[in-house]
Amino acid sequence: MEITINGKMSELKFNFKALFKANSGYSTIENGINQGNGAVLLFIRLIEGDVTVIPEIIKVAGGFGKITNEDKLFEAIDEITDGGEKIDEVMDELKAELKQSGFFVKTITSYKNQIEESIPMMEEKAKTDDTMANNLQAIKYSVKLLNDNL
């Protein structure tokens, strides 16, 4: 997919640089430690149909550097989606391109496998920990989404 911002056209590339930027900028932080799951979180938002993930994806995969004018970014999104008329097509194309990236697929699959292996332990902990019990359904839902979309 190509996008033009401030007169600069760029093809979105889901290469190692994009993976690094996704994990650096969009990962959860636990106890001050970056969890390296930014690519996974962006992908989950994309497959859930969260249209607000589009600017983040453009920022990590577009090669525009620091986009200083968000209005120009939003204008570009309006343009590629034909004012929202083609939003589903754009989301599907982004999903397909991301799934073609060996870097993203490897990272997302590894993360998913780690979570799947941890579920029995989380289920045991959920018996005595209300926070874990509340979070476990969301974790299982995320794993299901990843299994259904990879």
Side-chain angles (χ1 to χ4, degrees), residues 5-67:
I5 299 176
N6 286 336
K8 179 184 176 191
M9 192 276 297
S10 181
E11 182 177 341
L12 299 185
K13 296 179 183 175
F14 294 95
N15 54 18
F16 183 78
K17 180 179 179 180
L19 174 70
F20 184 84
K21 288 170 81 174
N23 284 341
S24 295
Y26 298 98
S27 293
T28 54
I29 307 293
E30 292 181 22
N31 299 321
I33 299 171
N34 181 318
Q35 298 300 300
N37 60 353
V40 175
L41 296 176
L42 291 176
F43 185 63
I44 288 173
R45 288 176 57 201
L46 185 61
I47 60 181
E48 285 182 323
D50 179 0
V51 298
T52 65
V53 75
I54 296 173
E56 283 91 354
I57 291 173
I58 291 170
K59 287 177 185 178
V60 301
F64 290 102
K66 296 216 182 240
I67 298 173

Side-chain angles (χ1 to χ4, degrees), residues 70-81:
E70 280 192 341
D71 288 339
K72 295 293 184 188
L73 173 60
F74 298 149
E75 286 173 17
I77 293 168
D78 286 339
E79 184 178 320
I80 64 171
T81 63

